[in-house]
C-alpha cells in the first residue's frame, strides 16, 4: 500500500493486564507491528483530559451525581491537542522509528483529586456516589456467566486495573528531549479545567443576564 510509517496508539501498561480484553488487543497489535518489519512508532497513552468534562465537570455544574471509585489508581491525563502535536512531531522525527513512546501529563491524579479540583473551580460541591472496586469486580464475575452480558463484563474488566494500585504515568523528560519539546508547553490538568470552567461559567452568566432582560421587557 506504500505506507511510509505506521503510528499506532496503544494504552500504557497494556502488557501488564492481559485480563482486560482491550489492553490485550493493544499489546498483541504492538507485537504484530514489531514483528512485521514495517516502519512504525507505537505511542502508549495514559488518559485524556477531554473525557473528564462529561464524566465530572458537567455533572457537577448540573448538580447531578458524579460516579467514582475508592481505588487509589492515579492517571496522568493529557490534553488531546498536545497528544496530536507530539504525534505530528514524532512523524517527522526519524529517531523514533521503531520505538515505543508513552505520552503522559505533568501529574498523575486520583479520581478523588479530580473531583475536588472540579468542585473548587466550579464553585460548588459534587454529589458523589462512590462505588467500591470490590462491587465492580463482583459484577464482572456475574456478567461473565451469560453470553449476552459478555460486552458488559469486558468493560468491567477495567475494575481489575483499578484495584491493582496502578499508576498510569511515566517520566517525560527523555521523551521531550527526543522530540525537542519544552515541558512548559504541555497543558496541566489544572490549567485545562480552569479554562473550561471560566468559559462555561461566563456563558452561563451571560445566559442568565439575557434571560432577566427578556423577562423585564416582557
Amino acid at each position: 500500500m506504500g505506507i511510509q510509517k505506521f503510528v499506532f496508539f496503544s494504552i500504557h501498561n497494556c502488557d501488564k493486564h492481559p485480563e482486560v480484553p482491550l489492553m490485550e488487543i493493544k499489546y498483541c497489535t504492538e507485537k504484530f507491528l514489531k514483528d512485521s518489519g514495517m516502519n512504525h512508532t507505537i505511542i502508549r497513552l495514559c488518559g485524556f483530559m477531554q473525557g473528564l468534562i462529561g464524566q465530572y465537570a458537567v455533572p457537577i455544574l448540573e448538580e447531578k451525581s458524579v460516579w467514582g471509585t475508592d481505588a487509589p489508581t492515579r492517571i496522568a491525563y493529557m490534553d488531546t491537542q498536545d497528544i496530536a502535536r507530539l504525534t505530528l512531531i514524532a512523524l517527522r522525527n526519524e529517531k523514533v522509528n521503531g520505538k515505543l513512546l508513552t505520552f503522559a501529563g505533568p501529574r498523575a491524579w486520583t479520581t478523588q483529586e479530580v473531583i475536588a479540583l472540579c468542585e473548587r473551580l466550579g464553585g460548588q460541591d459534587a454529589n458523589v456516589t462512590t462505588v467500591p472496586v470490590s462491587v465492580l469486580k463482583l459484577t464482572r464475575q456475574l456478567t461473565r456467566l451469560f453470553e449476552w452480558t459478555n460486552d458488559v463484563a469486558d468493560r468491567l474488566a477495567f475494575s481489575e486495573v483499578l484495584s491493582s494500585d496502578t499508576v498510569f504515568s511515566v517520566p517525560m523528560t527523555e521523551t521531550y528531549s527526543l522530540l525537542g519539546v519544552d515541558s512548559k508547553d504541555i497543558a496541566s490538568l489544572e490549567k485545562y479545567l480552569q479554562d473550561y470552567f471560566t468559559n462555561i461559567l461566563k456563558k452561563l452568566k451571560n445566559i442568565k443576564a439575557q434571560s432577566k432582560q427578556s423577562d423585564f421587557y416582557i
Side-chain angles (χ1 to χ4, degrees):
M1 294 175 65
I3 297 174
Q4 296 180 4
K5 189 173 185 178
F6 193 101
V7 177
F8 178 66
F9 288 110
S10 189
I11 303 174
H12 182 47
N13 286 330
C14 63
D15 54 320
K16 299 178 182 178
H17 297 282
E19 75 278 7
V20 181
L22 177 59
M23 299 183 86
E24 183 183 21
I25 290 171
K26 290 289 188 179
Y27 185 53
C28 287
T29 305
E30 288 183 5
K31 292 189 293 183
F32 175 81
L33 279 173
K34 291 176 183 177
D35 295 339
S36 70
M38 184 186 299
N39 184 16
H40 70 277
T41 297
I42 297 170
I43 300 174
R44 289 184 176 181
L45 305 175
C46 296
F48 305 115
M49 292 182 184
Q50 278 72 8
L52 301 176
I53 299 302
Q55 193 171 1
Y56 301 116
V58 173
I60 288 176
L61 289 174
E62 295 182 347
E63 299 181 359
K64 294 181 179 179
S65 292
V66 175
W67 295 87
T69 69
D70 56 356
T73 306
R74 308 183 73 87
I75 300 175
Y77 299 98
M78 200 171 194
D79 189 344
T80 55
Q81 294 188 38
D82 285 333
I83 292 173
R85 183 164 58 87
L86 294 182
T87 300
L88 288 174
I89 293 174
L91 275 172
R92 304 186 183 99
N93 191 334
E94 294 184 358
K95 294 180 181 179
V96 300
N97 288 348
K99 287 186 176 294
L100 188 155
L101 305 176
T102 300
F103 291 169
R107 173 187 166 185
W109 298 73
T110 64
T111 297
Q112 295 83 359
E113 289 172 338
V114 174
I115 292 175
L117 179 61
C118 290
E119 287 179 317
R120 178 169 62 82
L121 295 175
Q124 58 191 75
D125 295 334
N127 180 20
V128 182
T129 300
T130 302
V131 180
V133 173
S134 57
V135 173
L136 295 178
K137 294 177 70 174
L138 177 60
T139 305
R140 185 198 174 201
Q141 295 301 320
L142 293 174
T143 53
R144 290 177 67 182
L145 298 175
F146 308 99
E147 184 177 353
W148 54 276
T149 55
N150 278 340
D151 288 343
V152 177
D154 288 347
R155 292 176 183 273
L156 289 172
F158 276 102
S159 64
E160 303 292 338
V161 180
L162 293 175
S163 62
S164 62
D165 295 342
T166 302
V167 177
F168 283 84
S169 181
V170 294
M172 288 288 289
T173 303
E174 186 177 343
T175 301
Y176 289 148
S177 177
L178 182 64
L179 298 179
V181 175
D182 192 332
S183 61
K184 295 179 181 178
D185 296 331
I186 303 300
S188 67
L189 183 60
E190 297 100 320
K191 181 64 167 60
Y192 175 80
L193 287 177
Q194 184 178 38
D195 289 345
Y196 172 79
F197 277 104
T198 298
N199 291 330
I200 200 70
L201 291 175
K202 182 178 179 180
K203 290 180 180 179
L204 289 174
K205 185 177 180 180
N206 291 336
I207 290 173
K208 288 181 180 179
Q210 292 174 4
S211 177
K212 288 181 179 180
Q213 280 188 333
S214 298
D215 293 342
F216 176 77
Y217 286 117
I218 289 175

